Amino acid sequence: NQARRERVLAHEDLAKALTQPPLALDDPRKWTGWIPPRTDPEQTCSPWCGKHHDPCSNTQHRARINDSPIRAQLVEIAAEALRRETTPALDEIEP
């Protein structure tokens, strides 16, 4: 998280993106670098769900894709920061 945070905050435009909706932080330095997980946690099947086998086939107990717009925004910002760090600038590439 710390490395991701530093990578994003190193770019003024990406740090500013943290202040835009849906996240809309008042200060980008408040972001810890944490990005919510790709899936929501699976719920434990209880005896009263009516499915007494493991794993439960009831879809409400399966992990769901986390489609939060805040997660999407953070993934996009962090990915761009990583791309900038790992892709050499055109002026750094030798002909």
Side-chain angles (χ1 to χ4, degrees), residues 13-14 21 25-26 31 43-44 48 52 56 58-59 65-66 69 76 84-85 87 93:
D13 62 322
L14 298 179
L25 292 174
D26 59 346
W31 182 53
Q43 298 179 12
T44 305
W48 51 85
H52 297 289
C56 178
N58 193 337
T59 57
I65 299 296
N66 182 349
E76 183 179 322
R84 291 179 187 184
E85 183 178 280
T87 304
I93 300 174

Side-chain angles (χ1 to χ4, degrees), residues 48-92:
W48 51 85
C49 83
K51 310 281 187 188
H52 297 289
H53 57 278
D54 191 22
C56 178
S57 61
N58 193 337
T59 57
Q60 72 179 1
H61 300 293
R62 294 186 194 152
R64 291 181 296 253
I65 299 296
N66 182 349
D67 60 356
S68 159
I70 290 175
R71 181 185 189 284
Q73 177 187 22
L74 291 173
V75 167
E76 183 179 322
I77 292 168
E80 175 59 20
L82 182 61
R83 185 197 65 75
R84 291 179 187 184
E85 183 178 280
T86 57
T87 304
L90 292 176
D91 58 348
E92 296 175 4

